[in-house]
Amino acid sequence: MSNLSELLPTGGGQNAVDFVASGTLGNGVTVALKSDGTVEAITETSVTQNIPEGSDTIWFAQPTSAPYTSAIYMDMAFDVSANKFVIVFRDDKVSGYASYIVGSISGSTITYGAKTVFNSSTVVHPSISADPSATGKFVIAYNDFGGGAGSFVKIATLSGTTLSFGTGVNWSSANSYCRIAFDFTSSTFVLAWSKAADSDKLYATLGTYSGTTITLQTEVELYGTGVKDWNFGLAFDPSTTGKFVVVTNNSANPYAGIAVCGTISGTTITGGTAQTFNDTGAAFEATPYSDCVFDSVNADNLIIAFKDAAGSNYGAARAATLSGTVFTFGTKVQFNSTVSTDMWTMAPSGVGKNFQVVYRNDTTSDRPFAAALSVSGTTITAGTPVQITTVGVNSTSYLAAAMNPADAGSFVTIWRDKDYDSCSSVASQQGYSSTNSADFIGITASAIANTATGAVNVYGGINEAQSGLTIGSDYYVQDNGTLSTTASSVKVGTAISATTINMKDLKL
């Protein structure tokens, strides 16, 4: 025998499993397993950026009589699958009451239902999050400023363009600002908030719901120093159930931007040690307007965007990886050259290594802009910021944005016009490249026609349908489906001849 391949049976049938093909597949093609059990070729798809994609659409008309005002303290969240989103806000046209409106998006066209009051008392800083594991379910937190009864949270259920509500549950006796977010699989949510009764220290409260009934657990201190009372970012890790991150600005010396990881076990939150991600700023506001989001594909990777007081108040971002509760931060990257506030950081579902930051450009007539950020490890590459609309945003707390989970890379921005006090929105499309390589299952042992059944060599097998391999070299699946010695997150195996690859038993 002259080489190892002669010891092995021929025909590409070793450790072969039959699959139905989705699309025509050639011999020796890397394939990904789809959710319906079929396999498709691993490919890379590119989508062109289009910001804005549609036309501005008004959701709160310009006031024509006193009081000459409209919405303030706005937040928004998309339903998980219905191409619908909910905006919550304080309606200063109606005594500052807590209100909502539902938007529907088709392509780049947005339509709205009716504005509706859901709490007949003056509120500040309402926050909303959609349950990603249950269609039509939202949780809304707000401060009942007018009633003086503290801060409340309630469940809302969407039907058409109407929300129905459960009873509000009090989570703080004071009017405490918070951000709210759901875990990705458990219908569990977290309120992150500054506790006025305890020197504005950072706290977290765990919540669950059944029907319209909310159960809140005992609040937990996450950070033992005061934080800026309304500058929070909160995000759950989609790759690790029960893990979330809060980013904010420390309101005491050294006035740094801090990040802390929280872990949920049962009904208990445990906080990790806070780490500084930006520590060279001016007093009180080194890192205001911070926000964060995890990569929707690549495990335990996140990005933080913020106004950088140490960098001329320009917009900046920092990528990080999370191991347990410990962050490893990459280098801070400036993504624009203008004073920037109101950061909204987003990662499109199913599109790894791509992020979008929507922000108010204070030195360009206060107009909202979008900056595309791509990440490799903890290295950020920033694209050129793009103006979303020619209309200026009124001030802080008058801008929000959210990705549509039902349409990868599509997002909606909402704002209040600083000249006429009407409120508008527009759809945009983030540019990105995506791949299904993370779902690699094997290599075809022979060509398979569309919808036909054929053999696929899986891990532990031998595939003999390659060419030009270097004996003894390890091979990896690339984003476009080719095999290469360039390392990627998907290792296939080792070449044992120019045409044969020994597929390792495990993804290493």
Side-chain angles (χ1 to χ4, degrees):
M1 295 183 183
S2 60
N3 62 54
L4 182 60
S5 64
E6 294 179 34
L7 294 171
L8 302 167
T10 60
Q14 305 83 14
N15 241 33
V17 178
D18 285 340
F19 288 97
V20 175
S22 176
T24 300
L25 303 174
N27 187 16
V29 172
T30 59
V31 293
L33 182 65
K34 298 177 66 176
S35 59
D36 62 2
T38 64
V39 293
E40 63 181 356
I42 290 177
T43 57
E44 188 173 24
T45 302
S46 294
V47 174
T48 302
Q49 175 176 286
N50 191 4
I51 301 174
E53 186 178 27
S55 302
D56 291 2
T57 301
I58 292 174
W59 57 270
F60 198 124
Q62 177 184 351
T64 57
S65 60
Y68 293 98
T69 186
S70 57
I72 187 174
Y73 304 126
M74 57 188 67
D75 195 10
M76 66 183 297
F78 264 94
D79 195 2
V80 64
S81 62
N83 287 305
K84 292 182 181 179
F85 58 91
V86 178
I87 303 170
V88 292
F89 58 97
R90 182 172 110 172
D91 189 346
D92 278 0
K93 189 73 174 174
V94 186
S95 302
Y97 290 172
S99 302
Y100 77 88
I101 190 169
V102 176
S104 303
I105 183 167
S106 177
S108 62
T109 301
I110 301 173
T111 56
Y112 286 98
K115 291 192 289 89
T116 305
V117 170
F118 69 87
N119 185 69
S120 297
S121 181
T122 302
V123 299
V124 292
H125 294 299
S127 180
I128 184 170
S129 181
D131 186 346
S133 61
T135 298
K137 290 290 187 178
F138 299 80
V139 62
I140 301 172
Y142 57 94
N143 303 329
D144 194 341
F145 190 79
S151 302
F152 292 80
V153 61
K154 58 176 59 177
I155 290 294
T157 303
L158 177 63
S159 177
T161 58
T162 301
L163 292 178
S164 57
F165 293 89
T167 302
V169 178
N170 184 249
W171 55 267
S172 171
S173 59
N175 291 305
S176 300
Y177 174 73
C178 82
R179 289 293 293 271
I180 190 166
F182 268 101
D183 199 357
F184 279 83
T185 58
S186 63
S187 292
T188 299
F189 62 87
V190 163
L191 294 151
W193 52 290
S194 59
K195 188 173 182 179
D198 192 12
S199 304
D200 291 323
K201 294 176 183 177
L202 179 62
Y203 277 74
T205 302
L206 178 67
T208 55
Y209 73 93
S210 176
T212 59
T213 300
I214 290 175
T215 300
L216 298 179
Q217 303 301 321
T218 303
E219 64 201 39
V220 175
E221 181 184 299
L222 289 183
Y223 185 58
T225 303
V227 296
K228 189 69 176 178
D229 62 355
W230 55 275
N231 289 166
F232 287 124
L234 170 64
F236 269 91
D237 186 347
S239 65
T240 306
T241 297
K243 183 179 287 188
F244 64 92
V245 168
V246 183
V247 296
T248 186
N249 188 80
N250 184 339
S251 62
N253 190 44
Y255 307 105
I258 60 105
V260 60
C261 177
T263 304
I264 299 169
S265 178
T267 58
T268 302
I269 293 175
T270 303
T273 301
Q275 291 177 242
T276 298
F277 66 85
N278 191 46
D279 60 358
T280 54
F284 300 105
E285 292 196 346
T287 314
Y289 306 104
S290 54
D291 197 14
C292 63
V293 67
F294 276 91
D295 194 324
S296 55
V297 173
N298 298 288
D300 302 320
N301 289 356
L302 75 153
I303 197 164
I304 305 168
F306 50 94
K307 175 182 176 180
D308 186 11
S312 303
N313 290 317
Y314 296 165
R318 201 162 190 180
T321 57
L322 186 59
S323 177
T325 60
V326 178
F327 301 92
T328 299
F329 295 107
T331 302
K332 180 171 64 177
V333 173
Q334 178 184 313
F335 61 77
N336 68 5
S337 299
T338 55
V339 177
S340 306
T341 55
D342 298 311
M343 303 293 173
W344 293 85
T345 311
M346 303 171 291
S349 178
V351 182
K353 304 178 183 178
N354 292 269
F355 300 85
Q356 196 77 32
V357 180
V358 170
Y359 62 94
R360 183 166 66 96
N361 192 333
D362 294 12
T363 51
T364 309
S365 302
D366 297 313
R367 294 169 184 167
F369 276 67
L373 307 178
S374 60
V375 179
S376 177
T378 57
T379 301
I380 298 173
T381 301
T384 302
V386 179
Q387 183 173 284
I388 295 173
T389 179
T390 58
V391 175
V393 176
N394 191 292
S395 183
T396 58
S397 303
Y398 295 87
L399 175 71
M403 282 283 179
N404 181 2
D407 185 4
S410 173
F411 64 95
V412 170
T413 306
I414 62 172
W415 66 89
R416 175 170 156 176
D417 186 332
K418 75 172 188 176
D419 294 323
Y420 300 104
D421 277 336
S422 61
C423 297
S424 297
S425 61
V426 72
S428 297
Q429 175 65 52
Q430 176 179 357
Y432 64 86
S433 293
S434 66
T435 177
N436 54 352
S437 62
D439 298 318
F440 171 77
I441 191 64
I443 306 174
T444 56
S446 60
I448 312 173
N450 184 32
T451 72
T453 299
V456 174
N457 296 129
V458 297
Y459 281 111
I462 303 291
N463 183 269
E464 301 173 310
Q466 305 304 311
S467 63
L469 303 181
T470 301
I471 297 173
S473 293
D474 290 334
Y475 281 83
Y476 302 80
V477 178
Q478 305 303 299
D479 286 349
N480 62 2
T482 60
L483 293 176
S484 169
T485 56
T486 301
S488 75
S489 61
V490 184
K491 185 177 181 179
V492 177
T494 303
I496 57 176
S497 78
T499 60
T500 305
I501 187 167
N502 178 18
M503 301 173 66
K504 302 293 188 180
D505 288 335
L506 298 173
K507 294 184 180 181
L508 301 177

